[in-house]
Amino acid sequence: MRGLKPPPVTNTTRHVIIIMSDGRANMGGSPVPVIHQIRELLSIGRDLRNNREEFLDVYTFAVGPEALTGTLNALASHKAGEQHVFKLELPKLQEAFHRMIDESSTLHLCGVSQEFPSAGERERNPWEVSVTITRPGRGQERCQGSLVSPYFVLTAAHCFGLEDSAAWMGVDIGPKQRRGVSALYLHPKYDLGGRRARGVPEFYDYDVALVQLDRAVRSSVTER
């Protein structure tokens, strides 16, 4: 692309540069001017009305206890509300990459969690929910379940009786969200007493149920 004037500009490709270094240059001089050349090539920062900063992210990882953080900070992108400079400590590497990733478009996905050591209990198990059945005159029963979509919870069929009504049920998703239940679906082959004649007092095959929530769960890193 050298020699093209003006340099080629694209509005569809977003560029990411990851630099792992101690910040020292042992040949070729400082790398900071090279970052400026890349920004110029991509027409980033030229026009104050449209600086195109969203098309380039430069992340730097300081390697070693004596890394020159000033140099690495000069190489990295600087964007409000985002972190682009990290100190590389292997136990914290997973957390560092989590901070780099924008999860806003994937928060609704089932089975995704944060597993680095400093993550909280809800961040490590964001799908865990509690299903409460309040039977008139007979008290309450609680069962655990797993959120599999913003509208559905997977749980055990043996938590429910054939006479249970969805109106008697509620679902707690973490400490801040509670939902009512609009429908309950037991596996069609679930039959707890189906093999008593064969000497099996309780038969737990197909012991699964889906609980449909009355409203979608607001997906976040602690509820998804």
Side-chain angles (χ1 to χ4, degrees):
M1 291 186 282
R2 181 176 297 176
L4 294 180
K5 296 182 179 181
V9 175
T10 174
N11 291 320
T12 57
T13 302
R14 297 182 182 232
H15 306 267
V16 176
I17 299 174
I18 297 177
I19 301 172
M20 296 185 180
S21 172
D22 62 1
R24 292 174 170 80
N26 56 10
M27 59 183 298
S30 171
V32 175
V34 177
I35 295 295
H36 294 326
Q37 292 173 9
I38 293 173
R39 289 172 58 84
E40 178 69 18
L41 178 70
L42 299 175
S43 297
I44 294 173
R46 288 184 186 176
D47 187 346
L48 295 179
R49 295 168 298 179
N50 180 24
N51 59 26
R52 291 175 43 83
E53 291 288 348
E54 69 271 23
F55 290 96
L56 176 64
D57 283 283
V58 181
Y59 296 94
T60 61
F61 291 83
V63 179
E66 299 180 1
L68 302 179
T69 55
T71 299
L72 296 174
N73 189 60
L75 292 170
S77 298
H78 297 86
K79 300 182 181 182
E82 298 182 16
Q83 182 177 354
H84 287 77
V85 181
F86 300 86
K87 184 176 181 181
L88 187 58
E89 298 177 5
L90 291 181
K92 296 183 178 180
L93 182 58
Q94 188 177 14
E95 180 177 1
F97 277 100
H98 268 289
R99 289 182 180 179
M100 288 172 57
I101 297 170
D102 178 7
E103 292 189 280
S104 59
S105 63
T106 60
L107 286 175
H108 64 286
L109 295 179
C110 172
V112 178
S113 66
Q114 298 182 354
E115 299 183 3
F116 46 85
S118 64
E121 179 65 25
R122 287 297 312 176
E123 292 171 323
R124 291 194 295 269
N125 302 284
W127 46 77
E128 287 187 356
V129 304
S130 178
V131 182
T132 303
I133 308 104
T134 305
R135 300 181 178 94
R138 290 182 288 165
Q140 287 187 336
E141 181 179 353
R142 286 186 174 85
C143 285
Q144 296 304 107
S146 296
L147 196 65
V148 293
S149 84
Y151 275 102
F152 282 95
V153 168
L154 179 67
T155 187
H158 73 255
C159 293
F160 311 98
L162 295 177
E163 74 284 358
D164 283 344
S165 167
W168 301 349
M169 303 172 194
V171 177
D172 291 295
I173 307 99
K176 297 182 180 180
Q177 295 194 62
R178 182 172 176 82
R179 296 290 184 269
V181 174
S182 61
L184 172 66
Y185 303 95
L186 304 183
H187 194 288
K189 292 186 178 181
Y190 172 69
D191 185 358
L192 185 62
R195 295 197 178 184
R196 284 177 185 158
R198 299 166 59 180
V200 181
E202 294 182 342
F203 181 60
Y204 285 97
D205 280 18
Y206 310 107
D207 184 16
V208 292
L210 280 176
V211 174
Q212 183 173 352
L213 307 179
D214 62 350
R215 289 180 293 126
V217 171
R218 296 188 305 273
S219 298
S220 70
V221 295
T222 56
E223 292 95 18
R224 57 178 171 181

